[in-house]
Amino acid sequence: MRRIEWPLHLVVRSVVGVVAAGVLAVAGVVAWDWWQEPRATCHEDVVRRGPHDECVGVTTGEHVFAPHLEDVQKLIAEENARVEAEGDEHPYVSVAYLTSFTLTDDDSNSEDSVRHELEGAYLAQYRHNQGDLSASPKIRLLIANTGSDSTQWEYAVDRLLERRDGPDRLVAVTGLGPSTERNLEALRKLSDNDVATVASIMTATNIKGIDGFVRVAPTNVDEARAGAAYLKREGFRTAAIVQDDAKSNLYAATLAQAFRDEYPDGEHRLVGDSLSYDSSVPSAWEGELRYIPGHLCEEKPEAVYFAGRGRHLAHFLNALANRSSCKEREFTVLTGDDTTNLTPQQLADAARTGVQVFYTGLAHQDMYGKNPQAVSKLSADHFLPGGQMDEWFPDDPRYDGQDIMGHDAVLTAAKGVEMASKWQGQDKVTGASVARMFHQMSGAQQVAGASGFLSFKKNGDPRDKAVPILRLTPSGRSVLADVSSAAGEPAREQ
């Protein structure tokens, strides 16, 4: 057999290649193990589940659901540990904050918005336990993650229900996320199991009549009424509606219908048919938004009411700014509170379109200064420059008002706990007794919220809730234009 003699340089290359491949293979295994190990670690009642392989479930703060939550979760964990350590002397119950804390493009909420909610929730816990509203029994705050788009809501809710008895004594769940079918299912299951619920940012009008449920946010009817009244005061006589037709988007459907009911009168009218897109069809909705400005050019409305999520609004404004016709026309767009879920960069991008944008928010730190009769000064001070929130989170600009909504939701639950304990005794407070107290929160017992004074109707809606009207500036900053009540009139102390 003929022996093949390889040139030396090829032999060297081959040996080096084999060695390098081996090194890379070993490094790959090490890297795989290094990458896999942290992902496999979930603490407490937290496990990896779902299409996004997220850690979902319930924690007292030790398991950090996302790096940007680390600072606030550390504070909550420390306060929970203190409450537990003093449990023999000062009885406590548990209140949970439930929402999607691990987010993807499927979510309307941003990382900033859910972090701000949790920061506000911690402030309410602190105020009730050892701050300016100190009361008993104390509150241990659980953090419950339903996963992106709330796909794992049932697992998280089941873990919460296991904590109703024993040392945890869960009596209320707050937060609950935006108005979606999954979050509504979670709300119903908690209600069916006698857990009191307080929604922080749910605004869909058709969420009502659920036992033990209240919300601190104005409803879409409240927002539409306040927005319609503002447009009328500013002299806009005609308006068109652009609406998301996605069936799962309860927020958009009820917002559009509410404005349709509230705006028209003898001097004001809607023009043309409602223009729509369907965000549930990923391949179509951006294209649909591109065609809508052409129809608006034909209808010539003085204002456009956009009933859709904030992320869709950004695309709509871009389409409106880059329209091919009626370029000389100026457009004013009014929309709802989901605009607060846009990041500062997205807001700045929207402002650069040159379209004048107003939106009805859920809360704003300047509400007290604009209308001091509508908001509790005691609560508002914590959110103003130099207040407690600045001290704890100095590097986190809370531009969206979500911290105020998280705070007011937990403050409402804490108020219910305090009232129920006076009726039953500190060691006998239950979810059912807390829920009953929600309907007693009026007059001297109203909740002194930072988003407005809070009392509740029998269906769970807030009564005469203050609604801020915000204007997007060319710099992308939102400034307070006005504060209205749910009736569309200037807000007053209840």
PDB file of all heavy atoms in Angstrom, residues 357-393:
ATOM      1  N   VAL A 357     -50.815  65.166  20.759  1.00  0.00           N
ATOM      2  CA  VAL A 357     -51.368  64.000  21.435  1.00  0.00           C
ATOM      3  C   VAL A 357     -51.772  64.358  22.867  1.00  0.00           C
ATOM      4  O   VAL A 357     -50.980  64.911  23.632  1.00  0.00           O
ATOM      5  CB  VAL A 357     -50.354  62.839  21.465  1.00  0.00           C
ATOM      6  CG1 VAL A 357     -50.941  61.638  22.208  1.00  0.00           C
ATOM      7  CG2 VAL A 357     -49.951  62.434  20.047  1.00  0.00           C
ATOM      8  N   PHE A 358     -53.011  64.009  23.205  1.00  0.00           N
ATOM      9  CA  PHE A 358     -53.511  64.079  24.580  1.00  0.00           C
ATOM     10  C   PHE A 358     -53.944  62.674  24.987  1.00  0.00           C
ATOM     11  O   PHE A 358     -54.349  61.877  24.140  1.00  0.00           O
ATOM     12  CB  PHE A 358     -54.721  65.026  24.680  1.00  0.00           C
ATOM     13  CG  PHE A 358     -54.401  66.464  24.428  1.00  0.00           C
ATOM     14  CD1 PHE A 358     -54.421  66.972  23.139  1.00  0.00           C
ATOM     15  CD2 PHE A 358     -54.081  67.318  25.477  1.00  0.00           C
ATOM     16  CE1 PHE A 358     -54.136  68.308  22.884  1.00  0.00           C
ATOM     17  CE2 PHE A 358     -53.794  68.652  25.243  1.00  0.00           C
ATOM     18  CZ  PHE A 358     -53.809  69.153  23.947  1.00  0.00           C
ATOM     19  N   TYR A 359     -53.887  62.373  26.271  1.00  0.00           N
ATOM     20  CA  TYR A 359     -54.416  61.092  26.720  1.00  0.00           C
ATOM     21  C   TYR A 359     -54.906  61.177  28.158  1.00  0.00           C
ATOM     22  O   TYR A 359     -54.429  61.991  28.944  1.00  0.00           O
ATOM     23  CB  TYR A 359     -53.401  59.956  26.552  1.00  0.00           C
ATOM     24  CG  TYR A 359     -52.099  60.083  27.311  1.00  0.00           C
ATOM     25  CD1 TYR A 359     -51.918  59.445  28.532  1.00  0.00           C
ATOM     26  CD2 TYR A 359     -51.037  60.808  26.784  1.00  0.00           C
ATOM     27  CE1 TYR A 359     -50.711  59.524  29.211  1.00  0.00           C
ATOM     28  CE2 TYR A 359     -49.818  60.906  27.454  1.00  0.00           C
ATOM     29  CZ  TYR A 359     -49.672  60.256  28.672  1.00  0.00           C
ATOM     30  OH  TYR A 359     -48.479  60.339  29.350  1.00  0.00           O
ATOM     31  N   THR A 360     -55.900  60.359  28.440  1.00  0.00           N
ATOM     32  CA  THR A 360     -56.413  60.273  29.799  1.00  0.00           C
ATOM     33  C   THR A 360     -55.554  59.283  30.560  1.00  0.00           C
ATOM     34  O   THR A 360     -55.493  58.113  30.214  1.00  0.00           O
ATOM     35  CB  THR A 360     -57.886  59.815  29.803  1.00  0.00           C
ATOM     36  OG1 THR A 360     -58.031  58.698  28.921  1.00  0.00           O
ATOM     37  CG2 THR A 360     -58.804  60.919  29.361  1.00  0.00           C
ATOM     38  N   GLY A 361     -54.870  59.753  31.578  1.00  0.00           N
ATOM     39  CA  GLY A 361     -53.997  58.891  32.363  1.00  0.00           C
ATOM     40  C   GLY A 361     -54.734  58.304  33.555  1.00  0.00           C
ATOM     41  O   GLY A 361     -55.930  58.542  33.761  1.00  0.00           O
ATOM     42  N   LEU A 362     -54.012  57.525  34.333  1.00  0.00           N
ATOM     43  CA  LEU A 362     -54.571  56.983  35.569  1.00  0.00           C
ATOM     44  C   LEU A 362     -54.152  57.822  36.769  1.00  0.00           C
ATOM     45  O   LEU A 362     -54.899  57.945  37.741  1.00  0.00           O
ATOM     46  CB  LEU A 362     -54.107  55.535  35.761  1.00  0.00           C
ATOM     47  CG  LEU A 362     -54.522  54.546  34.670  1.00  0.00           C
ATOM     48  CD1 LEU A 362     -54.037  53.148  35.020  1.00  0.00           C
ATOM     49  CD2 LEU A 362     -56.025  54.561  34.455  1.00  0.00           C
ATOM     50  N   ALA A 363     -52.956  58.394  36.686  1.00  0.00           N
ATOM     51  CA  ALA A 363     -52.458  59.215  37.795  1.00  0.00           C
ATOM     52  C   ALA A 363     -51.278  60.034  37.291  1.00  0.00           C
ATOM     53  O   ALA A 363     -50.639  59.692  36.283  1.00  0.00           O
ATOM     54  CB  ALA A 363     -52.029  58.336  38.969  1.00  0.00           C
ATOM     55  N   HIS A 364     -50.978  61.098  38.007  1.00  0.00           N
ATOM     56  CA  HIS A 364     -49.818  61.935  37.693  1.00  0.00           C
ATOM     57  C   HIS A 364     -49.408  62.644  38.968  1.00  0.00           C
ATOM     58  O   HIS A 364     -50.261  63.074  39.761  1.00  0.00           O
ATOM     59  CB  HIS A 364     -50.155  62.948  36.593  1.00  0.00           C
ATOM     60  CG  HIS A 364     -48.958  63.626  36.012  1.00  0.00           C
ATOM     61  ND1 HIS A 364     -48.353  64.715  36.613  1.00  0.00           N
ATOM     62  CD2 HIS A 364     -48.234  63.364  34.896  1.00  0.00           C
ATOM     63  CE1 HIS A 364     -47.324  65.106  35.873  1.00  0.00           C
ATOM     64  NE2 HIS A 364     -47.230  64.291  34.834  1.00  0.00           N
ATOM     65  N   GLN A 365     -48.104  62.776  39.184  1.00  0.00           N
ATOM     66  CA  GLN A 365     -47.626  63.353  40.444  1.00  0.00           C
ATOM     67  C   GLN A 365     -48.005  64.826  40.601  1.00  0.00           C
ATOM     68  O   GLN A 365     -47.982  65.356  41.724  1.00  0.00           O
ATOM     69  CB  GLN A 365     -46.112  63.202  40.559  1.00  0.00           C
ATOM     70  CG  GLN A 365     -45.309  63.980  39.533  1.00  0.00           C
ATOM     71  CD  GLN A 365     -43.808  63.841  39.770  1.00  0.00           C
ATOM     72  OE1 GLN A 365     -43.363  62.962  40.487  1.00  0.00           O
ATOM     73  NE2 GLN A 365     -43.038  64.725  39.161  1.00  0.00           N
ATOM     74  N   ASP A 366     -48.375  65.505  39.512  1.00  0.00           N
ATOM     75  CA  ASP A 366     -48.748  66.919  39.605  1.00  0.00           C
ATOM     76  C   ASP A 366     -50.242  67.132  39.857  1.00  0.00           C
ATOM     77  O   ASP A 366     -50.705  68.279  39.879  1.00  0.00           O
ATOM     78  CB  ASP A 366     -48.352  67.655  38.318  1.00  0.00           C
ATOM     79  CG  ASP A 366     -46.843  67.713  38.122  1.00  0.00           C
ATOM     80  OD1 ASP A 366     -46.121  67.605  39.132  1.00  0.00           O
ATOM     81  OD2 ASP A 366     -46.392  67.849  36.965  1.00  0.00           O
ATOM     82  N   MET A 367     -50.999  66.043  40.037  1.00  0.00           N
ATOM     83  CA  MET A 367     -52.449  66.187  40.217  1.00  0.00           C
ATOM     84  C   MET A 367     -52.796  67.018  41.438  1.00  0.00           C
ATOM     85  O   MET A 367     -53.727  67.824  41.404  1.00  0.00           O
ATOM     86  CB  MET A 367     -53.111  64.809  40.309  1.00  0.00           C
ATOM     87  CG  MET A 367     -53.184  64.073  38.989  1.00  0.00           C
ATOM     88  SD  MET A 367     -53.805  62.377  39.169  1.00  0.00           S
ATOM     89  CE  MET A 367     -55.522  62.676  39.655  1.00  0.00           C
ATOM     90  N   TYR A 368     -52.060  66.840  42.537  1.00  0.00           N
ATOM     91  CA  TYR A 368     -52.376  67.610  43.735  1.00  0.00           C
ATOM     92  C   TYR A 368     -52.175  69.105  43.491  1.00  0.00           C
ATOM     93  O   TYR A 368     -53.002  69.933  43.886  1.00  0.00           O
ATOM     94  CB  TYR A 368     -51.518  67.160  44.919  1.00  0.00           C
ATOM     95  CG  TYR A 368     -51.749  68.016  46.140  1.00  0.00           C
ATOM     96  CD1 TYR A 368     -52.884  67.825  46.919  1.00  0.00           C
ATOM     97  CD2 TYR A 368     -50.872  69.042  46.480  1.00  0.00           C
ATOM     98  CE1 TYR A 368     -53.138  68.641  48.020  1.00  0.00           C
ATOM     99  CE2 TYR A 368     -51.116  69.855  47.569  1.00  0.00           C
ATOM    100  CZ  TYR A 368     -52.245  69.652  48.333  1.00  0.00           C
ATOM    101  OH  TYR A 368     -52.491  70.469  49.409  1.00  0.00           O
ATOM    102  N   GLY A 369     -51.092  69.470  42.823  1.00  0.00           N
ATOM    103  CA  GLY A 369     -50.831  70.874  42.549  1.00  0.00           C
ATOM    104  C   GLY A 369     -51.877  71.487  41.639  1.00  0.00           C
ATOM    105  O   GLY A 369     -52.227  72.658  41.777  1.00  0.00           O
ATOM    106  N   LYS A 370     -52.395  70.701  40.695  1.00  0.00           N
ATOM    107  CA  LYS A 370     -53.386  71.191  39.742  1.00  0.00           C
ATOM    108  C   LYS A 370     -54.764  71.303  40.388  1.00  0.00           C
ATOM    109  O   LYS A 370     -55.525  72.234  40.131  1.00  0.00           O
ATOM    110  CB  LYS A 370     -53.454  70.250  38.535  1.00  0.00           C
ATOM    111  CG  LYS A 370     -54.367  70.723  37.409  1.00  0.00           C
ATOM    112  CD  LYS A 370     -53.725  71.823  36.587  1.00  0.00           C
ATOM    113  CE  LYS A 370     -54.553  72.158  35.372  1.00  0.00           C
ATOM    114  NZ  LYS A 370     -53.969  73.212  34.539  1.00  0.00           N
ATOM    115  N   ASN A 371     -55.110  70.311  41.201  1.00  0.00           N
ATOM    116  CA  ASN A 371     -56.425  70.300  41.845  1.00  0.00           C
ATOM    117  C   ASN A 371     -56.309  69.688  43.241  1.00  0.00           C
ATOM    118  O   ASN A 371     -56.557  68.499  43.441  1.00  0.00           O
ATOM    119  CB  ASN A 371     -57.412  69.496  40.992  1.00  0.00           C
ATOM    120  CG  ASN A 371     -58.850  69.710  41.414  1.00  0.00           C
ATOM    121  OD1 ASN A 371     -59.135  69.951  42.579  1.00  0.00           O
ATOM    122  ND2 ASN A 371     -59.768  69.624  40.472  1.00  0.00           N
ATOM    123  N   PRO A 372     -55.920  70.478  44.238  1.00  0.00           N
ATOM    124  CA  PRO A 372     -55.653  69.946  45.578  1.00  0.00           C
ATOM    125  C   PRO A 372     -56.882  69.364  46.266  1.00  0.00           C
ATOM    126  O   PRO A 372     -56.746  68.611  47.229  1.00  0.00           O
ATOM    127  CB  PRO A 372     -55.110  71.165  46.341  1.00  0.00           C
ATOM    128  CG  PRO A 372     -55.579  72.343  45.573  1.00  0.00           C
ATOM    129  CD  PRO A 372     -55.638  71.928  44.146  1.00  0.00           C
ATOM    130  N   GLN A 373     -58.079  69.703  45.796  1.00  0.00           N
ATOM    131  CA  GLN A 373     -59.289  69.155  46.403  1.00  0.00           C
ATOM    132  C   GLN A 373     -59.543  67.714  45.985  1.00  0.00           C
ATOM    133  O   GLN A 373     -60.331  67.016  46.617  1.00  0.00           O
ATOM    134  CB  GLN A 373     -60.500  70.019  46.013  1.00  0.00           C
ATOM    135  CG  GLN A 373     -60.425  71.449  46.497  1.00  0.00           C
ATOM    136  CD  GLN A 373     -60.269  71.549  48.011  1.00  0.00           C
ATOM    137  OE1 GLN A 373     -60.999  70.896  48.745  1.00  0.00           O
ATOM    138  NE2 GLN A 373     -59.326  72.342  48.462  1.00  0.00           N
ATOM    139  N   ALA A 374     -58.877  67.257  44.921  1.00  0.00           N
ATOM    140  CA  ALA A 374     -59.174  65.938  44.367  1.00  0.00           C
ATOM    141  C   ALA A 374     -58.265  64.839  44.891  1.00  0.00           C
ATOM    142  O   ALA A 374     -58.562  63.661  44.732  1.00  0.00           O
ATOM    143  CB  ALA A 374     -59.076  65.987  42.833  1.00  0.00           C
ATOM    144  N   VAL A 375     -57.125  65.215  45.493  1.00  0.00           N
ATOM    145  CA  VAL A 375     -56.087  64.244  45.837  1.00  0.00           C
ATOM    146  C   VAL A 375     -55.638  64.459  47.277  1.00  0.00           C
ATOM    147  O   VAL A 375     -55.603  65.591  47.772  1.00  0.00           O
ATOM    148  CB  VAL A 375     -54.873  64.403  44.879  1.00  0.00           C
ATOM    149  CG1 VAL A 375     -53.766  63.430  45.240  1.00  0.00           C
ATOM    150  CG2 VAL A 375     -55.311  64.198  43.436  1.00  0.00           C
ATOM    151  N   SER A 376     -55.262  63.363  47.955  1.00  0.00           N
ATOM    152  CA  SER A 376     -54.755  63.459  49.323  1.00  0.00           C
ATOM    153  C   SER A 376     -53.348  64.039  49.334  1.00  0.00           C
ATOM    154  O   SER A 376     -52.436  63.477  48.736  1.00  0.00           O
ATOM    155  CB  SER A 376     -54.735  62.070  49.964  1.00  0.00           C
ATOM    156  OG  SER A 376     -53.932  62.064  51.126  1.00  0.00           O
ATOM    157  N   LYS A 377     -53.166  65.151  50.016  1.00  0.00           N
ATOM    158  CA  LYS A 377     -51.834  65.745  50.130  1.00  0.00           C
ATOM    159  C   LYS A 377     -50.886  64.810  50.874  1.00  0.00           C
ATOM    160  O   LYS A 377     -49.712  64.686  50.513  1.00  0.00           O
ATOM    161  CB  LYS A 377     -51.904  67.086  50.845  1.00  0.00           C
ATOM    162  CG  LYS A 377     -50.546  67.800  50.949  1.00  0.00           C
ATOM    163  CD  LYS A 377     -50.670  69.136  51.657  1.00  0.00           C
ATOM    164  CE  LYS A 377     -49.350  69.906  51.581  1.00  0.00           C
ATOM    165  NZ  LYS A 377     -48.223  69.172  52.190  1.00  0.00           N
ATOM    166  N   LEU A 378     -51.394  64.139  51.917  1.00  0.00           N
ATOM    167  CA  LEU A 378     -50.572  63.231  52.701  1.00  0.00           C
ATOM    168  C   LEU A 378     -49.950  62.155  51.818  1.00  0.00           C
ATOM    169  O   LEU A 378     -48.768  61.828  51.956  1.00  0.00           O
ATOM    170  CB  LEU A 378     -51.425  62.581  53.799  1.00  0.00           C
ATOM    171  CG  LEU A 378     -50.688  61.731  54.835  1.00  0.00           C
ATOM    172  CD1 LEU A 378     -49.760  62.592  55.672  1.00  0.00           C
ATOM    173  CD2 LEU A 378     -51.692  61.000  55.722  1.00  0.00           C
ATOM    174  N   SER A 379     -50.728  61.615  50.891  1.00  0.00           N
ATOM    175  CA  SER A 379     -50.217  60.580  49.988  1.00  0.00           C
ATOM    176  C   SER A 379     -49.410  61.175  48.844  1.00  0.00           C
ATOM    177  O   SER A 379     -48.374  60.644  48.460  1.00  0.00           O
ATOM    178  CB  SER A 379     -51.376  59.747  49.429  1.00  0.00           C
ATOM    179  OG  SER A 379     -51.983  58.970  50.441  1.00  0.00           O
ATOM    180  N   ALA A 380     -49.891  62.282  48.298  1.00  0.00           N
ATOM    181  CA  ALA A 380     -49.229  62.889  47.143  1.00  0.00           C
ATOM    182  C   ALA A 380     -47.800  63.297  47.458  1.00  0.00           C
ATOM    183  O   ALA A 380     -46.905  63.192  46.593  1.00  0.00           O
ATOM    184  CB  ALA A 380     -50.032  64.090  46.654  1.00  0.00           C
ATOM    185  N   ASP A 381     -47.552  63.759  48.680  1.00  0.00           N
ATOM    186  CA  ASP A 381     -46.217  64.244  49.049  1.00  0.00           C
ATOM    187  C   ASP A 381     -45.141  63.173  48.862  1.00  0.00           C
ATOM    188  O   ASP A 381     -43.982  63.498  48.565  1.00  0.00           O
ATOM    189  CB  ASP A 381     -46.206  64.722  50.499  1.00  0.00           C
ATOM    190  CG  ASP A 381     -46.821  66.104  50.665  1.00  0.00           C
ATOM    191  OD1 ASP A 381     -47.046  66.778  49.637  1.00  0.00           O
ATOM    192  OD2 ASP A 381     -47.091  66.498  51.814  1.00  0.00           O
ATOM    193  N   HIS A 382     -45.496  61.913  49.031  1.00  0.00           N
ATOM    194  CA  HIS A 382     -44.509  60.840  48.901  1.00  0.00           C
ATOM    195  C   HIS A 382     -43.998  60.699  47.474  1.00  0.00           C
ATOM    196  O   HIS A 382     -42.920  60.149  47.243  1.00  0.00           O
ATOM    197  CB  HIS A 382     -45.108  59.511  49.359  1.00  0.00           C
ATOM    198  CG  HIS A 382     -45.379  59.439  50.824  1.00  0.00           C
ATOM    199  ND1 HIS A 382     -44.381  59.306  51.767  1.00  0.00           N
ATOM    200  CD2 HIS A 382     -46.540  59.499  51.518  1.00  0.00           C
ATOM    201  CE1 HIS A 382     -44.914  59.276  52.977  1.00  0.00           C
ATOM    202  NE2 HIS A 382     -46.223  59.391  52.853  1.00  0.00           N
ATOM    203  N   PHE A 383     -44.760  61.188  46.501  1.00  0.00           N
ATOM    204  CA  PHE A 383     -44.409  61.018  45.087  1.00  0.00           C
ATOM    205  C   PHE A 383     -43.829  62.280  44.466  1.00  0.00           C
ATOM    206  O   PHE A 383     -43.386  62.262  43.318  1.00  0.00           O
ATOM    207  CB  PHE A 383     -45.649  60.587  44.294  1.00  0.00           C
ATOM    208  CG  PHE A 383     -46.184  59.245  44.716  1.00  0.00           C
ATOM    209  CD1 PHE A 383     -47.144  59.156  45.709  1.00  0.00           C
ATOM    210  CD2 PHE A 383     -45.707  58.077  44.138  1.00  0.00           C
ATOM    211  CE1 PHE A 383     -47.632  57.925  46.115  1.00  0.00           C
ATOM    212  CE2 PHE A 383     -46.180  56.841  44.543  1.00  0.00           C
ATOM    213  CZ  PHE A 383     -47.149  56.761  45.540  1.00  0.00           C
ATOM    214  N   LEU A 384     -43.839  63.369  45.208  1.00  0.00           N
ATOM    215  CA  LEU A 384     -43.306  64.625  44.696  1.00  0.00           C
ATOM    216  C   LEU A 384     -41.779  64.634  44.809  1.00  0.00           C
ATOM    217  O   LEU A 384     -41.203  63.850  45.569  1.00  0.00           O
ATOM    218  CB  LEU A 384     -43.911  65.799  45.462  1.00  0.00           C
ATOM    219  CG  LEU A 384     -45.425  65.992  45.278  1.00  0.00           C
ATOM    220  CD1 LEU A 384     -45.927  67.108  46.185  1.00  0.00           C
ATOM    221  CD2 LEU A 384     -45.756  66.292  43.822  1.00  0.00           C
ATOM    222  N   PRO A 385     -41.082  65.510  44.069  1.00  0.00           N
ATOM    223  CA  PRO A 385     -39.622  65.598  44.187  1.00  0.00           C
ATOM    224  C   PRO A 385     -39.198  65.787  45.635  1.00  0.00           C
ATOM    225  O   PRO A 385     -39.745  66.628  46.354  1.00  0.00           O
ATOM    226  CB  PRO A 385     -39.292  66.835  43.335  1.00  0.00           C
ATOM    227  CG  PRO A 385     -40.387  66.877  42.313  1.00  0.00           C
ATOM    228  CD  PRO A 385     -41.622  66.413  43.033  1.00  0.00           C
ATOM    229  N   GLY A 386     -38.238  64.960  46.062  1.00  0.00           N
ATOM    230  CA  GLY A 386     -37.778  65.008  47.438  1.00  0.00           C
ATOM    231  C   GLY A 386     -38.576  64.153  48.397  1.00  0.00           C
ATOM    232  O   GLY A 386     -38.244  64.075  49.583  1.00  0.00           O
ATOM    233  N   GLY A 387     -39.629  63.486  47.892  1.00  0.00           N
ATOM    234  CA  GLY A 387     -40.449  62.643  48.742  1.00  0.00           C
ATOM    235  C   GLY A 387     -39.828  61.276  48.983  1.00  0.00           C
ATOM    236  O   GLY A 387     -38.706  60.982  48.563  1.00  0.00           O
ATOM    237  N   GLN A 388     -40.585  60.404  49.645  1.00  0.00           N
ATOM    238  CA  GLN A 388     -40.082  59.094  50.036  1.00  0.00           C
ATOM    239  C   GLN A 388     -39.660  58.260  48.828  1.00  0.00           C
ATOM    240  O   GLN A 388     -38.650  57.542  48.888  1.00  0.00           O
ATOM    241  CB  GLN A 388     -41.153  58.344  50.823  1.00  0.00           C
ATOM    242  CG  GLN A 388     -40.680  57.016  51.409  1.00  0.00           C
ATOM    243  CD  GLN A 388     -39.654  57.198  52.502  1.00  0.00           C
ATOM    244  OE1 GLN A 388     -39.964  57.667  53.584  1.00  0.00           O
ATOM    245  NE2 GLN A 388     -38.413  56.826  52.225  1.00  0.00           N
ATOM    246  N   MET A 389     -40.410  58.350  47.737  1.00  0.00           N
ATOM    247  CA  MET A 389     -40.068  57.548  46.557  1.00  0.00           C
ATOM    248  C   MET A 389     -38.739  57.989  45.954  1.00  0.00           C
ATOM    249  O   MET A 389     -37.959  57.150  45.474  1.00  0.00           O
ATOM    250  CB  MET A 389     -41.189  57.621  45.525  1.00  0.00           C
ATOM    251  CG  MET A 389     -42.489  56.982  45.994  1.00  0.00           C
ATOM    252  SD  MET A 389     -42.354  55.200  46.234  1.00  0.00           S
ATOM    253  CE  MET A 389     -42.620  54.628  44.563  1.00  0.00           C
ATOM    254  N   ASP A 390     -38.471  59.268  45.968  1.00  0.00           N
ATOM    255  CA  ASP A 390     -37.175  59.759  45.490  1.00  0.00           C
ATOM    256  C   ASP A 390     -36.042  59.259  46.381  1.00  0.00           C
ATOM    257  O   ASP A 390     -34.935  58.979  45.893  1.00  0.00           O
ATOM    258  CB  ASP A 390     -37.169  61.286  45.461  1.00  0.00           C
ATOM    259  CG  ASP A 390     -37.645  61.838  44.132  1.00  0.00           C
ATOM    260  OD1 ASP A 390     -37.988  61.029  43.245  1.00  0.00           O
ATOM    261  OD2 ASP A 390     -37.710  63.076  43.984  1.00  0.00           O
ATOM    262  N   GLU A 391     -36.301  59.174  47.666  1.00  0.00           N
ATOM    263  CA  GLU A 391     -35.269  58.713  48.596  1.00  0.00           C
ATOM    264  C   GLU A 391     -34.931  57.245  48.349  1.00  0.00           C
ATOM    265  O   GLU A 391     -33.762  56.854  48.365  1.00  0.00           O
ATOM    266  CB  GLU A 391     -35.753  58.911  50.028  1.00  0.00           C
ATOM    267  CG  GLU A 391     -34.742  58.478  51.085  1.00  0.00           C
ATOM    268  CD  GLU A 391     -35.240  58.701  52.500  1.00  0.00           C
ATOM    269  OE1 GLU A 391     -36.054  59.630  52.710  1.00  0.00           O
ATOM    270  OE2 GLU A 391     -34.827  57.941  53.407  1.00  0.00           O
ATOM    271  N   TRP A 392     -35.944  56.416  48.130  1.00  0.00           N
ATOM    272  CA  TRP A 392     -35.717  54.989  47.929  1.00  0.00           C
ATOM    273  C   TRP A 392     -35.228  54.659  46.519  1.00  0.00           C
ATOM    274  O   TRP A 392     -34.389  53.786  46.340  1.00  0.00           O
ATOM    275  CB  TRP A 392     -37.009  54.214  48.177  1.00  0.00           C
ATOM    276  CG  TRP A 392     -37.375  54.049  49.613  1.00  0.00           C
ATOM    277  CD1 TRP A 392     -36.530  54.043  50.691  1.00  0.00           C
ATOM    278  CD2 TRP A 392     -38.694  53.869  50.135  1.00  0.00           C
ATOM    279  NE1 TRP A 392     -37.239  53.869  51.849  1.00  0.00           N
ATOM    280  CE2 TRP A 392     -38.565  53.749  51.551  1.00  0.00           C
ATOM    281  CE3 TRP A 392     -39.959  53.790  49.562  1.00  0.00           C
ATOM    282  CZ2 TRP A 392     -39.676  53.556  52.375  1.00  0.00           C
ATOM    283  CZ3 TRP A 392     -41.061  53.596  50.383  1.00  0.00           C
ATOM    284  CH2 TRP A 392     -40.914  53.484  51.768  1.00  0.00           C
ATOM    285  N   PHE A 393     -35.766  55.352  45.527  1.00  0.00           N
ATOM    286  CA  PHE A 393     -35.465  55.013  44.130  1.00  0.00           C
ATOM    287  C   PHE A 393     -35.020  56.266  43.369  1.00  0.00           C
ATOM    288  O   PHE A 393     -35.684  56.714  42.433  1.00  0.00           O
ATOM    289  CB  PHE A 393     -36.713  54.409  43.457  1.00  0.00           C
ATOM    290  CG  PHE A 393     -37.353  53.314  44.265  1.00  0.00           C
ATOM    291  CD1 PHE A 393     -38.574  53.526  44.901  1.00  0.00           C
ATOM    292  CD2 PHE A 393     -36.738  52.078  44.406  1.00  0.00           C
ATOM    293  CE1 PHE A 393     -39.171  52.527  45.661  1.00  0.00           C
ATOM    294  CE2 PHE A 393     -37.325  51.071  45.159  1.00  0.00           C
ATOM    295  CZ  PHE A 393     -38.542  51.293  45.787  1.00  0.00           C
TER     296      PHE A 393
END
